[in-house]
Amino acid sequence: MTREYIQSALAFINKHHYSSRIHLGWEPTGGTDLSFSNWSKFPLYKCDFGQGVGKSFQICPIKADGLIFIIPTANNDEIEIHITLKDHHAQLLLNEFDCESEYERGE
């Protein structure tokens, strides 16, 4: 973390002083936080867990709200984004993109 980054973050906080308090931590359910975990540069498809390298990886279902995982695909030019949201928040997001979820398609 550089001095410029910290100054930028403080400037953002000062600009949005009317916003709620910023604090360290995360509430897994019922909170207003978002938590990002970016694994897109991690060589996941080169890892050998004892039976050769993996051909496919999935994020297991998580009962949490506001988690966003960015993971690599077998094709290095692509990524997958997994977002955990409350049902009504997920529907609002899907409506923005005019699409349906895997759940709605029965997958």
Side-chain angles (χ1 to χ4, degrees):
M1 192 174 286
T2 65
R3 179 180 180 87
E4 291 80 20
Y5 180 84
I6 294 170
Q7 288 174 331
S8 172
L10 291 173
F12 176 83
I13 293 168
N14 286 333
K15 182 179 178 182
H16 301 283
H17 64 277
Y18 55 85
S19 298
S20 63
R21 186 175 282 203
I22 296 175
H23 59 88
L24 296 177
W26 176 74
E27 296 178 49
T29 57
T32 57
D33 304 317
L34 285 177
S35 179
F36 291 81
S37 183
N38 184 352
W39 297 12
S40 64
K41 302 296 183 197
F42 184 74
L44 195 57
Y45 287 89
K46 294 180 181 176
C47 294
D48 186 342
F49 296 102
Q51 297 180 347
V53 295
K55 294 184 179 26
S56 173
F57 292 92
Q58 293 181 327
I59 300 290
C60 63
I62 298 173
K63 294 284 185 183
D65 180 30
L67 283 175
I68 300 172
F69 294 99
I70 304 168
I71 63 171
T73 63
N75 176 356
N76 288 332
D77 295 334
E78 299 175 353
I79 59 170
E80 289 184 15
I81 299 177
H82 297 261
I83 304 172
T84 63
L85 296 171
K86 291 180 182 177
D87 288 341
H88 64 281
H89 291 156
Q91 192 57 56
L92 290 170
L93 181 63
L94 292 171
N95 290 346
E96 285 294 315
F97 293 104
D98 194 29
C99 60
E100 60 183 311
S101 70
E102 292 174 2
Y103 176 77
E104 291 172 321
R105 290 190 305 260
E107 295 179 14

